Amino acid sequence: MKSQAATLLLAVLLYSSCQAPADSSQAAQEDPQPAITYTPRPAADMSSQLATEATVDQLAAHLLEAEHSVQTTHALPLLHADMSRETAYQVQLAALATEEANSEQLIGWKMGGTNTPQPEDTPDPSFAYMLKSDQLMDKQEIYPDPYIGDSVLVEAEVAFIIGKD
């Protein structure tokens, strides 16, 4: 029975390394589609493009540029390893504001937690935004081309639409 309070949007757990199945002859018999060939994109690094004294807005812009230009960056752990969680969330919210200003649509929030051997060491739950452009619909195919490196791992987020905030 469908709940009025919440509707399950996505409940798919994917793990894809963009490699052929172990028994490709069996897969070929089951799926007449030609195999997708994939040439890994070299990882261009833009770490040197961020200043040590970067502002929250500059940090957010740097991360968005890396994402949108499909480049890696190690600037934050190299230059800002001591960043507080509060500042990290400010960077995330600045990135969200930029995304929304560029016509992206916020569709929800995701939360995560970490289980550690010492419960007192467990950080507070982390959260991040989810955009309409990141949403995959039922049976929508994922292609590795926009990703960096020699393998692509996909982690699905289970999302619910809840009637009210």
Side-chain angles (χ1 to χ4, degrees):
M1 182 171 188
K2 188 174 181 180
S3 167
Q4 293 178 6
T7 304
L8 181 60
L9 282 182
L10 176 66
V12 178
L13 183 58
L14 300 173
Y15 176 84
S16 171
S17 63
C18 297
Q19 298 175 9
D23 182 5
S24 58
S25 62
Q26 179 183 356
Q29 292 173 359
E30 293 173 6
D31 186 5
Q33 298 285 345
I36 296 173
T37 58
Y38 171 61
T39 304
R41 180 188 303 251
D45 190 292
M46 57 181 282
S47 299
S48 63
Q49 297 176 20
L50 185 68
T52 305
E53 64 281 349
T55 66
V56 165
D57 288 335
Q58 290 168 330
L59 292 168
H62 179 79
L63 293 174
L64 289 173
E65 175 62 24
E67 178 182 1
H68 295 153
S69 65
V70 193
Q71 296 183 62
T72 61
T73 182
H74 303 286
L76 270 66
L78 292 173
L79 302 174
H80 302 278
D82 60 345
M83 182 184 294
S84 70
R85 288 177 73 83
E86 180 180 333
T87 301
Y89 282 128
Q90 290 173 0
V91 170
Q92 178 177 245
L93 293 174
L96 173 58
T98 300
E99 296 274 39
E100 289 180 312
N102 291 321
S103 301
E104 284 283 3
Q105 180 184 355
L106 175 68
I107 61 169
W109 295 90
K110 58 184 180 177
M111 291 187 69
T114 303
N115 188 8
T116 63
Q118 302 297 323
E120 62 274 8
D121 295 337
T122 303
D124 54 315
S126 58
F127 68 90
Y129 57 85
M130 297 186 309
L131 300 174
K132 180 80 171 166
S133 63
D134 296 324
Q135 182 180 18
L136 298 174
M137 303 311 290
D138 187 33
K139 300 185 192 241
Q140 185 174 345
E141 294 183 10
I142 302 171
Y143 295 97
D145 298 335
Y147 302 98
I148 300 171
D150 60 358
S151 67
V152 176
L153 303 176
V154 178
E155 176 188 7
E157 303 290 345
V158 179
F160 299 86
I161 294 176
I162 300 175
K164 295 180 183 179
D165 283 349

